[in-house]
Amino acid sequence: MNRLRLIGGRVIDPHQGIDEIADVVIDDGLIASVGTRADRGRQRESSNGERTIDVRGLVVAPGFVDLHCHLREPGFEDKETIASGTRAAAAGGFTTVCCMPNTNPTLDTASDVGWVISAAGRTGLVRVHPIGTITKGQKGAELSEMADMAAAGAVAFSDDGRSVDSNLLMRHALAYSRIAGRPIVDHCEDAVLADCGVVHEGRVASLLGLRGVPSEAEEIAVARDLVLARATQGRLHLAHLSTAASVDLVREAKARGVRVTAEVTPHHLLLTDDWVAGNGSGRPPYDTNCRVSPPLRGNEDRAALLAGLLDGAIDAIATDHAPHTVVDKDCEFDQAAPGISGLETAFGLLMRLVHGSQLDLPRLVRLLTIGPARAFALNAGSLEIGAPADVVVLDPSAEWTVDVERFYSKGKNSPLAGERLRGMVRLTLVGGQVVHETPR
Ligand code: DOR
């Protein structure tokens, strides 16, 4: 038997209500036990074929689950590949990722979905679940073969990057989501109202002379989708929510029994549109790495997203890891591709909320593990006995400086370059195998 013991760490598994100093024992890639062992020392000496890692002072948690990342394969391998993106995921503590279908070609059919699953089996370091498109080619004209894709392993459907403009198609898609048993993940944005804006409509947009995206562009789409989800009893998941009123709408809909879940990103939780103006800290304004869709919003929105995490209106934190090339970003602000390479900075950035006493660590772990796993009905996010040993070991107080050149992701597009973060991923295990290690 192949045994690995992580001894003496603070084990946090919100699914099982565990938060205690304990040992995690992994046998042949599965969780064998979580608990305290009086005979720990003796066992360490006596047994063969056993690796013991001392994790005292560290946190042991289920591997993180990301509902929303862009691995860019097939078609945009200059931005990212399944190999580079999953290596970045492992470095970020993510053991399960769901990848968006805005590839080239888009993931429209069972065979497209099957291709990603088999490519991930060959080159992926962590578990990869593809998301299929809602409409063919993400063109918004005709529904994709959702039931076939679900049978092939698609965990959800999304036209992420753009919203489904047709109310009728969205209504059909939500009705089908019941049959397919998988959620519709909406990029909520009324394209007409967004009007090719590139930053949040507000003071910063005016100051910099950039076209703004009003909050209502998102909120109207959220409201429409909630109405349609209620009417169809479909399964709706709202991607990267960014405004205060969106959170209110979700909260009210949940109270009325609408089958909706929602995610927010680390960047919308921690950054604001002030970052586009230079953040008041000597950074140059117009940093294209701050261009993201939806845009970074104002401080009141940020506070409301956080409140949504605390009261359960928001179910999950998802990275929206969107890697781009230097060429995609080395241009005028409004010409730059939107997106932030986020897998490797997510935990360190989110720990600012914990160190600032705005969020406690068990809740953060919940929002990165069982919260997202439940939203997409994934068999992940817990250290239950018998579960595959997808585990992360975290060092909450270790400080580091973000060096984008050292990212495993091909996407170096991060507004956090040079930032000091406190909170580091020390070890990531998938099925008991080490896929990332940063020694103390
Ligand atoms: O900023 C974004 N980038 N938002 C999206 O919805 C799409 C993503 C991308 O694919 O680059």
Side-chain angles (χ1 to χ4, degrees):
M1 192 192 341
N2 200 347
R3 171 167 284 193
L4 173 63
R5 296 154 63 86
L6 305 172
I7 61 162
R10 175 182 172 193
V11 180
I12 301 179
D13 179 1
H15 178 59
Q16 298 188 86
I18 296 174
D19 184 356
E20 63 191 25
I21 304 295
D23 299 350
V24 175
V25 180
I26 296 162
D27 285 340
D28 292 333
L30 303 177
I31 302 290
S33 68
V34 177
T36 43
R37 298 284 294 259
D39 57 351
R40 184 190 292 161
R42 186 169 54 77
Q43 287 241 344
R44 187 168 20 164
E45 277 159 31
S46 63
S47 45
N48 297 321
E50 168 173 315
R51 182 178 175 200
T52 298
I53 305 178
D54 181 349
V55 292
R56 279 175 294 180
L58 304 179
V59 168
V60 182
F64 299 155
V65 176
D66 191 6
L67 296 181
H68 190 147
C69 75
H70 297 269
L71 298 180
R72 305 295 193 208
E73 247 191 287
F76 297 115
E77 291 82 357
D78 51 341
K79 295 176 192 274
E80 193 76 290
T81 61
I82 292 170
S84 62
T86 56
R87 182 66 189 85
F94 293 89
T95 53
T96 295
V97 298
C98 303
C99 60
M100 282 293 173
N102 58 342
T103 48
N104 186 18
T106 51
L107 308 180
D108 292 346
T109 65
S111 72
D112 297 331
V113 166
W115 184 87
V116 171
I117 290 172
S118 69
R122 286 192 306 275
T123 66
L125 262 191
V126 306
R127 300 181 201 279
V128 175
H129 296 292
I131 296 172
T133 57
I134 301 173
T135 68
K136 290 184 182 161
Q138 297 191 312
K139 291 195 168 75
E142 204 184 335
L143 284 185
S144 300
E145 302 294 343
M146 287 167 41
D148 284 357
M149 285 194 281
V155 291
F157 306 100
S158 181
D159 277 3
D160 184 60
R162 56 179 69 170
S163 91
V164 176
D165 295 334
S166 160
N167 300 339
L168 181 64
L169 266 185
M170 195 57 169
R171 183 165 177 265
H172 286 325
L174 281 162
Y176 275 113
S177 75
R178 290 182 59 193
I179 300 165
R182 304 277 190 280
I184 298 293
V185 180
D186 199 25
H187 175 114
C188 299
E189 183 176 51
D190 181 298
V192 176
L193 268 180
D195 197 20
C196 303
V198 293
V199 285
H200 172 54
E201 187 181 88
R203 190 185 54 85
V204 169
S206 309
L207 198 69
L208 299 184
L210 292 170
R211 191 185 281 262
V213 182
S215 301
E216 310 86 80
E218 175 172 303
E219 292 148 5
I220 283 176
V222 169
R224 176 202 69 170
D225 291 346
L226 291 171
V227 167
L228 294 175
R230 189 182 193 191
T232 56
Q233 294 175 22
R235 260 291 287 120
L236 175 65
H237 177 80
L238 300 171
H240 43 50
L241 289 186
S242 68
T243 84
S246 293
V247 180
D248 289 341
L249 287 164
V250 173
R251 190 180 288 116
E252 286 160 21
K254 282 189 169 181
R256 281 189 277 114
V258 178
R259 299 173 68 209
V260 60
T261 51
E263 67 182 40
V264 290
T265 70
H267 46 270
H268 290 108
L269 281 166
L270 273 303
L271 314 185
T272 62
D273 59 347
D274 266 342
W275 282 63
V276 185
N279 190 25
S281 66
R283 286 165 176 276
Y286 301 101
D287 177 2
T288 56
N289 291 315
C290 295
R291 179 164 181 208
V292 64
S293 172
L296 301 174
R297 302 280 184 188
N299 222 6
E300 282 173 21
D301 294 306
R302 211 176 69 78
L305 297 177
L306 183 59
L309 293 183
L310 295 175
D311 72 9
I314 310 281
D315 302 85
I317 297 174
T319 66
D320 193 5
H321 172 74
H324 289 293
T325 65
V326 172
V327 174
D328 296 325
K329 288 288 193 181
D330 190 11
C331 54
E332 302 297 309
F333 193 90
D334 51 9
Q335 299 300 308
I340 290 174
S341 181
L343 281 167
E344 290 164 82
T345 52
F347 177 67
L349 184 59
L350 291 163
M351 280 301 290
R352 286 187 172 174
L353 298 173
V354 175
H355 293 306
S357 303
Q358 293 169 286
L359 190 68
D360 60 44
L361 188 57
R363 188 176 290 269
L364 175 59
V365 170
R366 171 184 291 275
L367 289 159
L368 287 166
T369 58
I370 195 66
R374 276 199 190 127
F376 282 11
L378 303 174
N379 187 15
S382 170
L383 300 175
E384 273 175 329
I385 291 172
D390 294 357
V391 182
V392 66
V393 177
L394 307 164
D395 192 338
S397 51
E399 282 194 48
W400 56 290
T401 302
V402 178
D403 178 356
V404 295
E405 294 311 321
R406 296 182 65 185
F407 277 4
Y408 292 99
S409 170
K410 289 191 180 189
K412 314 300 179 194
N413 50 302
S414 171
L416 298 172
E419 284 289 309
R420 289 288 287 169
L421 298 180
R422 188 145 65 101
M424 192 186 278
V425 174
R426 288 281 178 208
L427 182 69
T428 309
L429 307 176
V430 174
Q433 300 295 313
V434 175
V435 291
H436 177 78
E437 197 165 6
T438 310
R440 272 201 264 194

